[in-house]
Structure formats: C-alpha cells, structure tokens
Amino acid sequence: MLEEENGTDPRLLAISAAIRVVPHFPKPGIMFNDITPLLLRPKAFKDAIEIFAERYRGMGIHAVAGIEARGFMFGSPLAIAIGAKFIPLHKPGKLPGKTISEAYALEYGTDCLEMHVDAVQPGENVLIIDDLVATGGTLRAAIRVLERAGAEVVECGCIVGLPKFKAGYRINGRPVYMLVEAISKTS
Ligand SMILES: O=P(O)(O)OC[C@H]1O[C@H](OP(=O)(O)OP(=O)(O)O)[C@H](O)[C@@H]1O
Ligand SMILES: Nc1ncnc2[nH]cnc12
C-alpha cells in the first residue's frame, strides 16, 4: 500500500477501489488494470485530477503531454486545471503535421508515439500523464520524444502503477509519481 493510501488521503482509497482488475486481458498472463470504472465515478475521477493539480500547480509547467489513449482522459482536464497547454502524444498516423516519433515495446506488443514538432518549444517544462505504468516503456518513449524536441520533462504522473514505481523511481532520470498501486499478479 502507498503511504498516502495508509490513512492520510481517503480520496486515494476511492480511486484504488474504482480500478477493475481483469485477469488474462488482452493476453494470457496479463492482469489488466482497467481505469474505465473510475471514469464512471465523477467524484473519484475529479479527485484524481485534483490530486495531480495540487501537486503540479504553481510549478511553472507549460504543458501536459498525454499519451494516447487513456492518458488523454486524465491529461487534458489536468492541463485545464493547472493552466497549461495540452500536447497529445499519438499512436502512429493520427497527426497531420510534421512529427517526431519513438518506437517502444509493451507488455503485450510494440507501438510508437508521435508528436507534432511544433507542439513544444525548447526549454518548456512538460509533465507527462498516462493512466498506467507497467514496464515503463511507454513513458520512456514519451520522455525521449519530448526531450528530443528540447522540452524539460519535470515528472511522469500516472493514476496506477506497478509497486516498483513507488516514491523515488525514475525513468530515464525523470521522476515517476503514481496515485495507487496496480494489481500485477495472476493467482
Ligand atoms: O508501462 P508500459 O508497459 O509501457 O504500459 C503502459 C501503457 O499501456 C497502456 O496503453 P496501451 O499501449 O495498451 O494503449 P491504449 O491506451 O491505446 O489502449 C497504458 O495506457 C499505458 O500507456
Ligand atoms: N497490466 C496492464 N493493465 C492495463 N494497461 C496496461 N498496459 C500495459 N500493461 C497494462
């Protein structure tokens, strides 16, 4: 259990309870942590955005970059809440302008992230948001694509993550912050 879950912030307990674990989806052996029930609970959904906003407001963050698809659901309301622009990091072939891209490996396949090259200016402070961190490969690709464009990645924030991403964990030297722990073992 995370420190905050251990009594200090009851909002985290409701967020944790709103994540449904589906064994063997989309492949045998994967414990899929489904955040869609959280989206169906307006208070818990709003609290998740507010907890992030409390952490990141006033930190000089110019942009929130959300990872397709589920990072869009949390990243765009957070960008509004902290007064930052929102940058979509898309899967291939969705953006019409000039893009830079990074390929990466997933727990269940491979993929690629693309960003419009003019979405971020060199030196801007960017926060990356996704629903979940499992291997960290997606966040690693997101950090790379943003840093190649000259951004300063301040932190990667996720709703749910594997226990190893608890306080102090870094990906490519960038801190990772997660609200609640994922269930990762099939029984
Ligand atoms: O830490 P990792 O092992 O890289 O896994 C985490 C990523 O996997 C999921 O996305 P997915 O690639 O399934 O795409 P989707 O959101 O478009 O369904 C999740 O939303 C994260 O982006
Ligand atoms: N275990 C998991 N649950 C939900 N999304 C994921 N993406 C990668 N691994 C995942």
Side-chain angles (χ1 to χ4, degrees):
M1 210 177 227
L2 292 179
E3 200 176 295
E4 299 92 328
E5 281 180 283
N6 201 8
T8 55
D9 192 340
R11 298 174 298 179
L12 293 172
L13 294 173
I15 292 164
S16 188
I19 293 163
R20 170 172 52 196
V21 180
V22 184
H24 308 301
F25 180 88
K27 276 187 169 174
I30 302 289
M31 289 292 269
F32 191 83
N33 284 253
D34 176 19
I35 53 78
T36 62
L38 176 61
L39 306 176
L40 300 176
R41 297 180 199 185
K43 178 164 184 333
F45 185 13
K46 185 168 182 230
D47 283 347
I49 301 305
E50 189 49 34
I51 293 167
F52 281 138
E54 285 164 8
R55 183 176 178 86
Y56 298 120
R57 219 176 252 133
M59 283 179 63
I61 293 187
H62 300 100
V64 175
I67 300 174
E68 184 178 354
R70 289 169 263 153
F72 292 179
M73 298 166 193
F74 301 100
S76 44
L78 176 61
I80 294 167
I82 65 172
K85 61 183 174 180
F86 178 74
I87 301 173
L89 301 181
H90 270 283
K91 303 294 167 64
K94 309 278 184 72
L95 291 169
K98 186 171 178 219
T99 60
I100 49 177
S101 62
E102 274 286 335
Y104 60 99
L106 267 175
E107 248 185 319
Y108 39 78
T110 59
D111 218 326
C112 180
L113 286 180
E114 290 186 349
M115 178 181 77
H116 273 145
V117 287
D118 59 1
V120 71
Q121 303 307 311
E124 284 186 330
N125 296 324
V126 180
L127 171 67
I128 299 172
I129 293 288
D130 205 353
D131 66 324
L132 178 136
V133 53
T135 66
T138 306
L139 289 180
R140 195 170 302 115
I143 293 167
R144 278 208 204 104
V145 92
L146 282 156
E147 292 187 339
R148 281 171 50 211
E152 299 289 332
V153 175
V154 174
E155 190 161 85
C156 302
C158 293
I159 299 290
V160 52
L162 293 195
K164 74 171 184 182
F165 294 104
K166 266 194 281 198
Y169 201 94
R170 287 176 175 256
I171 295 178
N172 283 12
R174 303 295 157 217
V176 178
Y177 173 72
M178 64 190 216
L179 300 188
V180 299
E181 271 181 27
I183 307 289
S184 57
K185 300 259 184 303
T186 43
S187 49

